[in-house]
Amino acid sequence: MTARMIMKLQVTAARLATPDVLHVELVHPLRPELPEWTAGAHVDLRLPDGRVRQYSLCGDPDDRAKYEIAIKREDDGRGGSRWAHEHLKEGVTAHVSSPRNNLPLSETATRYVLVAGGIGITPFVSMARTLAKQNKNFTLHYCARSADNAPLLRELREICGDQLKCWFSREGARFNPQTIGAYQDGTHVYVCGPERLLEAVQASLSDWPEDHVHGEVFQLTLDENFKAEPFEATIASTGERLLVPADRSLLEVLRSSGFVMPSSCELGICGSCECGYRDGIVIHRDKVLSVSKRQDRLMPCVSRARVAVTLDL
Ligand code: FES
């Protein structure tokens, strides 16, 4: 993983898409084109105190002039969205990374099923645009409390037509993952939203090939019962051994031993700090790696090991 470029972008529009979602447009003050991106990508927004938050790009990947993001205000969150709602106004400069895509569209799928919960809709706006332009077979299931609480709904209705299925709980409509149906060759499913939605879809599709069900979590449920234990990390290239105490992350220990490790969310959801390992029993606590990737990759910001692990560093 390499560190990403941070750009100073200018906010050219900031308006409420719903009572608690701010839709922001960003341009480069000097360059007519921003770094290119593909549907499903996100950018990091750097806060003044150095913290970083990830937001999916929800504009048109073919429009290189601007980035669009939508930020849900979480008053009981960690403060990033509150800061964004209070400070991202027209004319303000925002520090934004170049895009990265943890949720790319399959190029070989013949049918796409997209399932969004609330603000988890954001990566699917660009996906729906791309799929519609390519005349692909897709369905977008959008779960929200009501139309008034469903950001970007107007755009999605224009993009998707009758390929958009809305599930508004206040109208008594609830999405049932079994709606997706049995596995058919060529079908890929993408889920984005709260962890419980991802888990419900994954449970319903447990007999599908693992690489046909893709997910991104927007809200984390922390495992309060997890008890961290100390372990030893060996650096494969040098044989150096590092003790990771119970109260520190592997990422922190690597950094304090001189390793330059990129990171962003430090919650196991963005994929920035991904690192290879060779042996050891890893306790994976991230929400971004697939089961097959977990065989030799880990996220040192949250994941740990039982007793010992050898890192590909
Ligand atoms: S920093 Fe985001 S997954 Fe580790």
Side-chain angles (χ1 to χ4, degrees), residues 163-194:
Q163 287 156 298
L164 176 68
K165 311 286 179 209
C166 292
W167 303 90
F168 297 140
S169 57
R170 281 192 186 152
E171 296 173 10
R174 288 195 183 273
F175 174 71
N176 181 344
Q178 290 186 349
T179 308
I180 297 169
Y183 174 67
Q184 289 175 328
D185 199 21
T187 299
H188 281 243
V189 175
Y190 296 80
V191 192
C192 189

Side-chain angles (χ1 to χ4, degrees), residues 195-218:
E195 196 175 1
R196 64 178 185 282
L197 176 67
L198 182 60
E199 286 177 356
V201 173
Q202 284 175 331
S204 175
L205 308 184
S206 57
D207 56 344
W208 284 46
E210 184 223 336
D211 59 356
H212 284 50
V213 182
H214 316 265
E216 195 163 82
V217 168
F218 265 53

Side-chain angles (χ1 to χ4, degrees), residues 242-275:
L242 307 173
L243 176 68
V244 184
D247 61 349
R248 297 187 75 199
S249 70
L250 175 56
L251 181 69
E252 287 173 320
V253 169
L254 287 168
R255 282 185 170 154
S256 49
S257 304
F259 290 90
V260 178
M261 304 290 295
S263 77
S264 181
C265 69
E266 302 197 2
L267 287 170
I269 56 175
C270 76
S272 304
C273 66
E274 185 179 328
C275 170

Side-chain angles (χ1 to χ4, degrees), residues 108-178:
T108 55
T110 52
R111 177 180 165 241
Y112 300 80
V113 180
L114 317 177
V115 183
I119 194 64
I121 193 65
T122 49
F124 294 148
V125 183
S126 59
M127 285 190 181
R129 256 185 230 285
T130 299
L131 294 171
K133 276 185 196 169
Q134 296 173 354
N135 280 322
K136 292 280 177 68
N137 176 357
F138 76 96
T139 306
L140 170 54
H141 297 277
Y142 190 177
C143 312
R145 270 180 297 163
S146 67
D148 291 344
N149 288 282
L152 307 163
L153 183 59
R154 186 180 49 78
E155 291 92 324
L156 285 165
R157 284 187 164 137
E158 280 170 20
I159 297 166
C160 303
D162 59 10
Q163 287 156 298
L164 176 68
K165 311 286 179 209
C166 292
W167 303 90
F168 297 140
S169 57
R170 281 192 186 152
E171 296 173 10
R174 288 195 183 273
F175 174 71
N176 181 344
Q178 290 186 349

